[in-house]
Each structure stands twice: as structure tokens, then as C-alpha cells.
Amino acid sequence: MQEGGLVTDRQAEAKPATVPEAKQAGEVRARWAWAEPSVWTERMLTALEDGVKGGKWFSLIDKVSSARVLQWAFARVKGNGGAAGVDHQTIAMYEQQLEQQTEYLARTLKEGSYQPAAIRREWIPKPGSREKRPLGIPTVRDRVVEKALQATIEPIFEQDFAEQSYGFRPGRGCKDALRRVDQLLKEGQTWVVDADLKSYFDSIPHERLLKLVEENVADGRVLELLRKYLEQRVLEQMREWLPEAGTPQGAVISPLLSNIYLDPLDQLMVASGVEMVRYADDCVPRARRAETVQACVTA
């Protein structure tokens, strides 16, 4: 019998995973207060901290497709607001059919037949610039599924993310990144390289990103769902196309995927002894000596 990616001893040879005994009641949950309880039980969180055999999680689609999780995900989508997607269905319209929508999503996600709609693309002003940046607007239904998917896989990757990453992470924000930069300056790390990855979200290679996800997730239906989101068609006015790379800005799952892709860079900087503060695609490597930062940039 499986629960949320855990595998019993009888199944361990076929699907390696173990379930450690729970620690003191409430202790683990307190450390993971942001993780959604309808997805991550204390038993699962204990396994997450202690490590599952093989380092991979199975049977996660049952969490994504849970009616309870999908209704929670809709509540979060409703709270965030936002416009309708290509199907012109608003949040209010979706809510009027919440029971039917939830049943449909639960069934098609379990079957593996769920297919995301195209993303509606709009261009919005870029802060501090005359340029505009693309914003992808998924349908409400797709936003609900993406939120359920994010809640399911985020703790798995958050467990190992590098300390110096601050963007789109639970309990962290821009001010935390600025405080860390200020602290490093006061410690004498005054040699700085300010780097911004151009068109980062639109240029992430799909296959390389999926391989990084596969290092921790072994549920084929979850991986296929992620691939479907990466390969969503884009509709802009009367033009429609299939992107060959990138994860859409505006999609619920995109910030997490962007952090998964850049985490190897964060870890490389740690191994190189270079302090780097990163907020999404803005990176600030810094050191006490110019040679150290120079070597890290040219590596």
C-alpha cells in the first residue's frame, strides 16, 4: 500500500523507498508549516527529512489529482485573482461549476488524459524600463492543476535548494536578499558582479529541466504532466505557436521550475567558495578578492 510517494518494504525492491518512524508529534510539521497538509502529511515530511531510499519519490499523482487538493488549489487561485485564459472562463464562472470541474480534473489527471489549453500571451510594461515583457495567462482550470502540482513537488526540491537563493521560495523575499547583500558588504565582500540572465524564463531547455526534475521524481504521470505544461501552445492575438524552450512567465509552476533549473549553478558557487545572492534570474556573485569573482564568472 502506498501513500503520497512512499513505498512499503514489500515493494522496496521494485520501487526503492522507506518510511522512517515519525519524530515527536508536531516537530516536523512546525519546520514545514508552509507545506500544504492535505498534500504533505507529517509521515511524508519525516520521510522527506530522513531521505527516501534511492532519493526518488513515486506515486505523487494521487496527491495532484485528489479532490481535496484540487479544491484547495482553486481557493488559492481565487485568492490570487487574474484574468481568464483562452477559454474566456473567469474564476467566478469556474466556481459556479466547482464540483463538476473538480471531478473532471481528478478523473483525467489519474487517467493521464488531462491536456492543458493554450496560454494567452499579453505584453505588460517592464518596471524601470520602456521595454515590455511577455506575460502568459493560463486558463483557470490549468492554474488550479499547476497549483496542485506545485504544492506536491515543491517540498521535495526545497529540501535541497541552496541557501543563497531567495526568489519565489517559501518564507523568503526580495528584502531578505537585500539584507544578505548588505551583510556581505559589511563583512568585506566588496568585489561584485551583477548579472541578469536575459530572457531567462523563455530560454530554459525543456529536456535538461526535465532531467533535473527526474533526479527526485519518478512518477511518470507527474513528469508527463510537467512536459505538457512546458509544451503548451501560445496564443497571441491571431498568432499561435509551440515554444521549443522556456516556461511561461505568469504560469503558476514556472517560478519553481526556474529555481530547479538554476540550483546547480547555486551549488557550483557554493563549491567554489563564492558567495552569490540570487533572486530568480538576477545573480550577484561577490568575494573579498577580484580574482575570485573573476574566476567564477569565466569558469
Side-chain angles (χ1 to χ4, degrees):
M1 180 177 180
Q2 298 180 7
E3 177 190 349
L6 305 181
V7 184
T8 63
D9 292 338
R10 186 176 297 176
Q11 299 165 308
E13 290 183 5
K15 294 182 178 180
T18 58
V19 185
E21 290 297 321
K23 301 174 184 178
Q24 186 175 352
E27 178 186 346
V28 179
R29 170 58 59 191
R31 288 195 290 273
W32 294 87
W34 58 270
E36 172 51 32
S38 63
V39 179
W40 284 88
T41 64
E42 187 147 354
R43 182 170 176 264
M44 287 177 63
L45 290 172
T46 300
L48 179 63
E49 288 194 351
D50 292 346
V52 292
K53 188 182 293 184
K56 293 194 177 186
W57 288 77
F58 298 86
S59 303
L60 295 170
I61 196 66
D62 67 310
K63 295 295 185 182
V64 182
S65 61
S66 161
R68 182 182 175 189
V69 174
L70 289 167
Q71 289 177 352
W72 166 85
F74 170 71
R76 297 296 297 270
V77 169
K78 179 181 177 180
N80 290 332
V86 295
D87 61 356
H88 306 293
Q89 185 178 54
T90 64
I91 291 174
M93 292 164 64
Y94 186 99
E95 188 170 24
Q96 288 175 355
Q97 304 172 339
L98 183 58
E99 185 176 345
Q100 300 96 306
Q101 293 281 6
T102 302
E103 289 177 358
Y104 168 80
L105 291 179
R107 175 174 52 81
T108 56
L109 286 167
K110 287 175 182 174
E111 293 173 351
S113 61
Y114 180 77
Q115 186 63 48
I119 286 183
R120 180 165 67 88
R121 173 173 280 192
E122 298 287 345
W123 290 82
I124 62 174
K126 191 173 182 179
S129 171
R130 293 184 178 179
E131 297 179 8
K132 291 188 175 183
R133 66 179 181 88
L135 177 68
I137 305 175
T139 63
V140 176
R141 178 187 285 172
D142 285 340
R143 299 206 295 269
V144 169
V145 176
E146 285 188 54
K147 189 63 188 175
L149 180 59
Q150 177 199 16
T152 300
I153 69 172
E154 186 170 29
I156 296 172
F157 294 94
E158 181 65 30
Q159 168 81 351
D160 297 318
F161 277 160
E163 182 67 22
Q164 62 264 53
S165 168
Y166 290 88
F168 311 120
R169 293 186 60 189
R172 290 172 168 237
C174 184
K175 291 182 179 179
D176 298 302
L178 291 172
R179 278 192 286 267
R180 180 58 178 160
V181 169
D182 182 61
Q183 180 184 354
L184 291 171
L185 284 170
K186 291 174 180 176
E187 291 175 359
Q189 306 222 26
T190 54
W191 288 95
V192 180
V193 174
D194 187 7
D196 184 1
L197 304 178
K198 186 175 178 60
S199 300
Y200 171 60
F201 281 87
D202 292 331
S203 60
I204 299 175
H206 291 167
E207 294 305 322
R208 196 177 303 172
L209 171 60
L210 285 168
K211 285 187 181 300
L212 289 171
V213 176
E214 287 172 14
E215 290 180 5
N216 295 92
V217 174
D219 187 318
R221 283 176 292 179
V222 167
L223 294 171
E224 182 59 28
L225 183 59
L226 276 171
R227 181 180 291 277
K228 287 178 180 179
Y229 277 123
L230 291 173
E231 295 177 351
Q232 279 178 278
R233 301 191 70 82
V234 177
L235 180 64
E236 183 179 348
Q237 295 180 350
M238 299 301 293
R239 188 166 69 99
E240 186 174 355
W241 73 96
L242 182 66
E244 296 180 357
T247 177
Q249 294 189 56
V252 176
I253 198 73
S254 290
L256 173 60
L257 295 179
S258 72
N259 276 333
I260 291 173
Y261 188 75
L262 278 182
D263 187 62
L265 173 63
D266 297 336
Q267 304 293 353
L268 178 63
M269 293 296 101
V270 172
S272 302
V274 174
E275 284 280 358
M276 183 177 75
V277 178
R278 182 174 69 79
Y279 190 92
D281 54 353
D282 293 314
C283 313
V284 185
R286 54 199 315 120
R288 287 184 170 84
R289 300 171 56 211
E291 295 82 357
T292 305
V293 174
Q294 210 167 29
C296 119
V297 172
T298 57

